Amino acid sequence: MGRELIMALFLSLSLLSVPFAAEARIRHYKWEVKYEYKSQDCYKKLAITINGRTPGPTIEAQVNDTVVVELKNSLLTENVAIHWHGIRQKGTPWFDGTAGVTQCPIVPGDTFVYKFVVDRPGTYLYHGHYGLQREAGLNGMIRVSLPPGESEPYTYDHDRSILLTDWYHQSTYEQATGLSSLPFDWVGEPQSLLIHGKGKFDCSTPGLKSGLCNATNPECSPYVITVIPGKTYRLRIGSLTSLAALSFEIEGHTMTVVEADGHNVEPFVVKNLFIYSGETYSVLIKADQAPTRNYWAVSKVVSRNNTTPNGLAIFNYYPNHPRRSPPTVPPVGPAWDDVTPRYAQGNSTKARQGYVIPPPQTSNRHIVMLNTQNTINGYTRWSVNNVSYNLPNTPYLIAVKDRLNHVFDQTPPPDGYDSQNYDIFSIANNTNATTSSSIYKLQFNSTVDIILQNANSMSNKTSETHPWHLHGHDFWVMGYGQGKFDINSDPKKYYNLVNPIMKNTVSVQPYGWTALRFVADNPGVWAFHCHIEAHFYLGMGVVFEEGVEMLGRYPTSITGCGDTKSYRKP
């Protein structure tokens, strides 16, 4: 008995020695999603809100915490789904929040519970993933911190989050109808740029209906970032624009980039940060300018010859009044069509020394994805290798798991295109596209190379910047290049096999290519698509399937549509 008592005491002391900080917590959120009238840029329109807010509440958690979001759909007339952008969903692919891929959408009046672990520190996003709901205001940020006692490889005094978006006055219903119509009706340029939900539309614009725009509405007063002179701030900057690529800068200050999509970056200094939809960056900024005044924070559209005015916020030096306008004209920002600094930023973004995750030196599969604009039976579409994507009515995750092969196309999509004969600089006769719901089946644990190849659209001398986002994974950004990718020479010339950054979203520049590599090690079905809302809506995306047979039973809450209607008992 004496020995047993000693062992029991030893075990008790061992348990007491485990630091309480290591204990994962449950972070519970109760959200109601509904339409409300908002005047974010002074113009009154319907927005999708979470608990009355857009952007929605920032989710704050520590590494290995479980996040539970109880989501009630009070939209009344439409379904909803929310994607947790950058969260890999290891072991919980059914909570990725991608309608048609990982779940049935949440119907009006229903409550759906998302439950997932945030397993890495960093800055992430969430947004609607049904129709065009992201651009209606259904978006927000996720901030995952290290456990107490652990620290980042850089220091700062305060931590702030800023979400950048663009804003249309037209409803998503009108936009979707125009995109799906003959003749094609493009969504056009956004009316405003919002900095953390606030912008300024010119209420004196001719033709506005009386009472719709109020320049003195406090709801559209500029967003204010208050700082204390001499202190260093970590600004977590995320972009969830529906169309625009952006430049972001703070007048008179430089920014040191230290994190990208949850990975530590070998620090480098920028005057303006280029950021594409779906990306997040952390920058360090020191409040080291004259403290007697405030300064402008500016977002600007790049990569499009646009009509959208710059977004403006106030970088407020305490104790100046936060509404006191800076005495200067806001910076105009970089030229919209200058790609050189954009390539330079991409090439400067490398994994920080001591935090490098080496990529596999070779890959098992090589997929080249030509981004094309096409017409199919007269309708305008976007495509990959001349195949335009259509989501099926039954989510892939359920269809693959239950072998419902009849619900989506079984012919594999192409791994490439006719690169010898395709001129990326000319308008191609892209009337030969097909629509498909087929998916790429990846061998589990294999290493996959993706080459995103940009080309001319169906407008002369127009090649757009496309941000591509991969669900369920991070990938290594192997390299960027201009012109047509050459598989024989470009990897040797441009690939970074030493310290490439890992990301979940990356851009491909006009008439250029971007190479990425990832390991198919996360059982599930995962979307990979252009993060421009209208482009994905028009078919610019693919789906990868890997290791689904290794998954346990999915929760019945993700069923109820397509061939799974009978799965739910009444």
Side-chain angles (χ1 to χ4, degrees), residues 115-138:
K115 185 177 181 180
F116 52 88
V117 173
V118 288
D119 61 345
R120 295 167 306 151
T123 310
Y124 308 101
L125 304 161
Y126 66 82
H127 58 81
H129 218 294
Y130 179 84
L132 303 174
Q133 288 177 345
R134 167 161 59 88
E135 72 173 66
L138 185 52

Side-chain angles (χ1 to χ4, degrees), residues 92-323:
T92 52
W94 34 77
F95 293 138
D96 185 54
T98 315
V101 179
T102 59
Q103 70 168 98
C104 291
I106 308 158
V107 299
D110 269 12
T111 296
F112 185 90
V113 178
Y114 290 100
K115 185 177 181 180
F116 52 88
V117 173
V118 288
D119 61 345
R120 295 167 306 151
T123 310
Y124 308 101
L125 304 161
Y126 66 82
H127 58 81
H129 218 294
Y130 179 84
L132 303 174
Q133 288 177 345
R134 167 161 59 88
E135 72 173 66
L138 185 52
N139 49 51
M141 300 189 74
I142 303 172
R143 195 157 91 180
V144 184
S145 58
L146 286 162
E150 294 186 36
S151 59
E152 307 285 4
Y154 41 86
T155 57
Y156 50 90
D157 300 299
H158 301 284
D159 197 338
R160 303 281 168 76
S161 300
I162 302 172
L163 184 61
L164 306 176
T165 51
D166 48 16
W167 195 240
Y168 286 91
H169 293 168
Q170 205 177 34
S171 74
T172 55
Y173 288 119
E174 292 170 292
Q175 289 195 351
T177 302
L179 294 171
S180 307
S181 294
L182 276 176
F184 180 67
D185 188 7
W186 173 239
V187 298
E189 301 300 316
Q191 278 65 58
S192 300
L193 296 181
L194 307 183
I195 298 179
H196 217 73
K198 289 174 175 285
K200 185 75 76 172
F201 181 71
D202 182 2
C203 288
S204 65
T205 302
L208 288 185
K209 187 177 170 185
S210 175
L212 272 184
C213 202
N214 177 6
T216 62
N217 189 330
E219 203 178 329
C220 58
S221 57
Y223 184 67
V224 177
I225 308 155
T226 299
V227 296
I228 297 167
K231 298 292 186 183
T232 298
Y233 290 81
R234 177 183 184 173
L235 299 184
R236 299 173 186 257
I237 305 167
S239 173
L240 282 176
T241 53
S242 56
L243 175 66
L246 298 175
S247 161
F248 179 80
E249 66 181 294
I250 295 176
E251 177 193 11
H253 297 72
T254 57
M255 299 179 283
T256 303
V257 180
V258 293
E259 178 220 349
D261 289 4
H263 292 274
N264 289 321
V265 170
E266 190 61 35
F268 65 97
V269 177
V270 295
K271 181 190 165 198
N272 56 278
L273 178 77
F274 294 104
I275 184 166
Y276 306 92
S277 180
E279 288 190 316
T280 65
Y281 288 95
S282 283
V283 300
L284 300 183
I285 184 166
K286 188 166 186 183
D288 58 3
Q289 297 302 298
T292 54
R293 51 161 291 197
N294 291 336
Y295 296 82
W296 292 111
V298 183
S299 63
K300 177 190 176 166
V301 177
V302 293
S303 89
R304 299 184 67 84
N305 190 3
N306 67 96
T307 55
T308 308
N310 291 354
L312 297 176
I314 293 176
F315 197 66
N316 164 233
Y317 270 71
Y318 182 84
N320 295 307
H321 194 283
R323 301 292 176 215

